[in-house]
mmCIF file of all heavy atoms in Angstrom:
data_model
loop_
_atom_site.group_PDB
_atom_site.id
_atom_site.type_symbol
_atom_site.label_atom_id
_atom_site.label_comp_id
_atom_site.label_asym_id
_atom_site.label_seq_id
_atom_site.Cartn_x
_atom_site.Cartn_y
_atom_site.Cartn_z
ATOM 1 N N LEU E 271 79.876 124.343 116.540
ATOM 2 C CA LEU E 271 80.581 123.487 115.573
ATOM 3 C C LEU E 271 82.096 123.698 115.657
ATOM 4 O O LEU E 271 82.871 122.743 115.659
ATOM 5 C CB LEU E 271 80.100 123.783 114.137
ATOM 6 C CG LEU E 271 78.645 123.454 113.809
ATOM 7 C CD1 LEU E 271 78.294 123.935 112.400
ATOM 8 C CD2 LEU E 271 78.387 121.962 113.935
ATOM 9 N N GLN E 277 88.005 120.590 119.646
ATOM 10 C CA GLN E 277 88.207 119.461 120.571
ATOM 11 C C GLN E 277 88.758 118.230 119.839
ATOM 12 O O GLN E 277 88.991 117.201 120.450
ATOM 13 C CB GLN E 277 86.877 119.053 121.219
ATOM 14 C CG GLN E 277 86.269 120.073 122.157
ATOM 15 C CD GLN E 277 87.091 120.247 123.413
ATOM 16 O OE1 GLN E 277 87.502 119.286 124.028
ATOM 17 N NE2 GLN E 277 87.370 121.491 123.770
ATOM 18 N N GLU E 279 87.160 116.582 117.194
ATOM 19 C CA GLU E 279 86.179 115.745 116.490
ATOM 20 C C GLU E 279 86.428 115.861 114.976
ATOM 21 O O GLU E 279 86.573 116.970 114.453
ATOM 22 C CB GLU E 279 84.765 116.219 116.840
ATOM 23 C CG GLU E 279 83.688 115.244 116.423
ATOM 24 C CD GLU E 279 82.318 115.655 116.950
ATOM 25 O OE1 GLU E 279 82.230 116.355 117.987
ATOM 26 O OE2 GLU E 279 81.331 115.274 116.306
ATOM 27 N N GLU E 289 83.322 112.532 100.912
ATOM 28 C CA GLU E 289 83.342 112.138 99.514
ATOM 29 C C GLU E 289 84.354 111.006 99.347
ATOM 30 O O GLU E 289 85.450 111.055 99.892
ATOM 31 C CB GLU E 289 83.742 113.353 98.673
ATOM 32 C CG GLU E 289 83.409 113.216 97.216
ATOM 33 C CD GLU E 289 84.615 112.943 96.337
ATOM 34 O OE1 GLU E 289 85.573 112.303 96.787
ATOM 35 O OE2 GLU E 289 84.586 113.363 95.196
ATOM 36 N N GLY E 292 84.195 109.767 94.234
ATOM 37 C CA GLY E 292 83.108 110.443 93.521
ATOM 38 C C GLY E 292 81.738 110.243 94.132
ATOM 39 O O GLY E 292 80.750 110.764 93.603
ATOM 40 N N LEU E 339 80.142 100.266 97.443
ATOM 41 C CA LEU E 339 79.316 101.208 96.676
ATOM 42 C C LEU E 339 80.076 101.798 95.497
ATOM 43 O O LEU E 339 79.507 101.992 94.421
ATOM 44 C CB LEU E 339 78.779 102.304 97.604
ATOM 45 C CG LEU E 339 77.758 101.775 98.620
ATOM 46 C CD1 LEU E 339 77.479 102.798 99.714
ATOM 47 C CD2 LEU E 339 76.458 101.368 97.922
ATOM 48 N N PRO E 346 77.581 98.288 87.361
ATOM 49 C CA PRO E 346 76.182 98.008 87.708
ATOM 50 C C PRO E 346 75.808 96.539 87.487
ATOM 51 O O PRO E 346 74.846 96.059 88.071
ATOM 52 C CB PRO E 346 75.393 98.919 86.753
ATOM 53 C CG PRO E 346 76.372 99.928 86.260
ATOM 54 C CD PRO E 346 77.732 99.310 86.331
ATOM 55 N N ARG E 388 79.661 80.057 100.180
ATOM 56 C CA ARG E 388 79.613 80.796 98.904
ATOM 57 C C ARG E 388 80.988 81.189 98.381
ATOM 58 O O ARG E 388 81.908 81.404 99.154
ATOM 59 C CB ARG E 388 78.740 82.059 99.079
ATOM 60 C CG ARG E 388 77.276 81.716 99.271
ATOM 61 C CD ARG E 388 76.469 82.927 99.669
ATOM 62 N NE ARG E 388 76.513 83.987 98.665
ATOM 63 C CZ ARG E 388 75.956 85.195 98.828
ATOM 64 N NH1 ARG E 388 75.317 85.459 99.961
ATOM 65 N NH2 ARG E 388 76.030 86.090 97.881
ATOM 66 N N VAL E 412 91.837 109.514 113.901
ATOM 67 C CA VAL E 412 91.853 108.108 114.324
ATOM 68 C C VAL E 412 91.379 107.948 115.773
ATOM 69 O O VAL E 412 90.690 106.987 116.108
ATOM 70 C CB VAL E 412 93.281 107.522 114.138
ATOM 71 C CG1 VAL E 412 93.361 106.107 114.680
ATOM 72 C CG2 VAL E 412 93.656 107.541 112.664
#
Side-chain angles (χ1 to χ4, degrees):
L271 295 174
Q277 293 292 314
E279 193 172 334
E289 197 255 31
L339 292 167
R388 291 170 61 185
V412 175

